[in-house]
Amino acid sequence: MDTAERPTIRLIAGRRMQCKDIPDDTLRDAVRRTPQRWPLRPGTVPTRMSWDVHAELETVTGPIPDKLFLAKIRRLFAKGILGGCDCGCRGDFHLIEECRGIHRGYC
């Protein structure tokens, strides 16, 4: 979907969609299902690009505004469920259990 076409808000039951409307497990499963863009090398964690995870999540939930997606990602980082980068760049998202013992301090 072109950036100009992406929704900036989405209504659920007459109110703006919020982070709580996206279950944590649904986003975790989307990360798990999203393929990596490059081969996994020894000593590295499997990472997924932000836009790929977003697209995979939308196959289940329907359209999600970019800022809402990023806010939900940041909540999962704070809970210790996801690792990577939550600044809004390419992401490099991964599940924390995928990097235990590989990168100390990265997750």
Side-chain angles (χ1 to χ4, degrees):
M1 183 181 291
D2 186 10
T3 306
E5 299 173 16
R6 295 203 50 81
T8 56
I9 65 167
R10 179 171 165 201
L11 298 178
I12 302 266
R15 62 171 177 76
R16 290 176 80 133
M17 186 178 197
Q18 301 173 1
C19 288
K20 66 182 180 182
D21 297 316
I22 305 168
D24 292 355
D25 288 339
T26 302
L27 184 48
R28 284 181 66 172
D29 290 342
V31 171
R32 194 173 282 118
R33 286 191 312 269
T34 302
Q36 298 182 149
R37 290 209 169 219
W38 48 82
L40 185 62
R41 296 177 305 198
T44 61
V45 296
T47 59
R48 291 84 169 184
M49 301 295 98
S50 175
W51 49 86
D52 294 336
V53 173
H54 195 164
E56 181 63 35
L57 180 63
E58 287 182 331
T59 64
V60 176
T61 63
I64 297 174
D66 296 338
K67 289 181 180 181
L68 179 61
F69 173 74
L70 188 55
K72 183 63 178 187
I73 288 290
R74 287 180 174 151
R75 287 182 184 233
L76 294 187
F77 271 64
K79 289 180 178 181
I81 294 172
L82 287 182
C85 182
D86 64 353
C87 78
C89 66
R90 68 182 190 179
D92 290 344
F93 300 141
H94 61 277
L95 300 171
I96 292 295
E97 63 259 20
E98 295 173 333
C99 73
R100 296 249 186 249
I102 295 176
H103 290 287
R104 291 183 176 254
Y106 179 64
C107 298

